[in-house]
Amino acid sequence: MGKDKIENRRLYAFLRSQTLTILMLMAFSCLFLMQYLNDLIIPSFIGGVIFCMAIGYSLLFWIKKPNKIVINNWLSNISSVFLLYWFIVNAMECPNKILYIIPIICLVALFVVVLMNQRGFEFKI
């Protein structure tokens, strides 16, 4: 089996971008904090700021069109697990409060791993 050909390199780099993936993981953590704290104001404000940063990064990416960007396939694959976990926990009747803290602890550990072990690489667009 050969490697798949990337049709649109800019879209591939955008979807696998390390910066955008970290911002989306932080937004997911705000969703867990809303449920854990039973408060919508503070986590939604923080999530809104993070979402505005993601929109700003997206606009910068598509308007400025950088020649190379750091992508991290491992981190992109992990982010889908966080989203799936969020759907599973929200589908439960009365989940335990610890189920809302586990992904936040895992997210902090994930950030430490990403900072210590640079798995990302520069992708030339």
Side-chain angles (χ1 to χ4, degrees), residues 19 24 27 31 35 46 50-51 54-55 68 76 79 100 103 119:
T19 307
M24 288 298 111
L31 293 175
Q35 295 291 331
I46 295 170
I50 292 169
F51 190 67
I55 289 172
K68 48 190 161 181
S76 295
S79 68
Y100 297 121
R119 293 177 178 252

Side-chain angles (χ1 to χ4, degrees), residues 53-96:
M53 290 170 55
I55 289 172
Y57 175 77
S58 301
L59 290 174
L60 179 79
F61 182 84
W62 289 105
I63 292 173
K64 188 178 177 188
K65 296 185 179 181
N67 292 335
K68 48 190 161 181
I69 191 167
V70 176
I71 66 171
N72 194 335
N73 291 326
W74 179 76
L75 191 60
S76 295
N77 293 336
I78 295 291
S79 68
S80 60
V81 173
F82 272 85
L83 184 62
L84 181 64
Y85 182 80
W86 183 74
F87 281 129
I88 291 171
V89 169
N90 279 333
M92 293 179 177
E93 286 285 326
C94 294
N96 194 350

Side-chain angles (χ1 to χ4, degrees), residues 3-17 61-62 66-69 71 121-125:
K3 289 187 174 182
D4 293 333
K5 183 180 176 191
I6 300 170
E7 294 292 329
N8 190 341
R9 294 180 66 82
R10 184 160 301 278
L11 182 62
Y12 178 81
F14 176 72
L15 294 175
R16 298 284 182 168
S17 168
F61 182 84
W62 289 105
N67 292 335
K68 48 190 161 181
I69 191 167
I71 66 171
F121 61 92
E122 266 189 10
F123 183 75
K124 192 171 183 181
I125 300 173

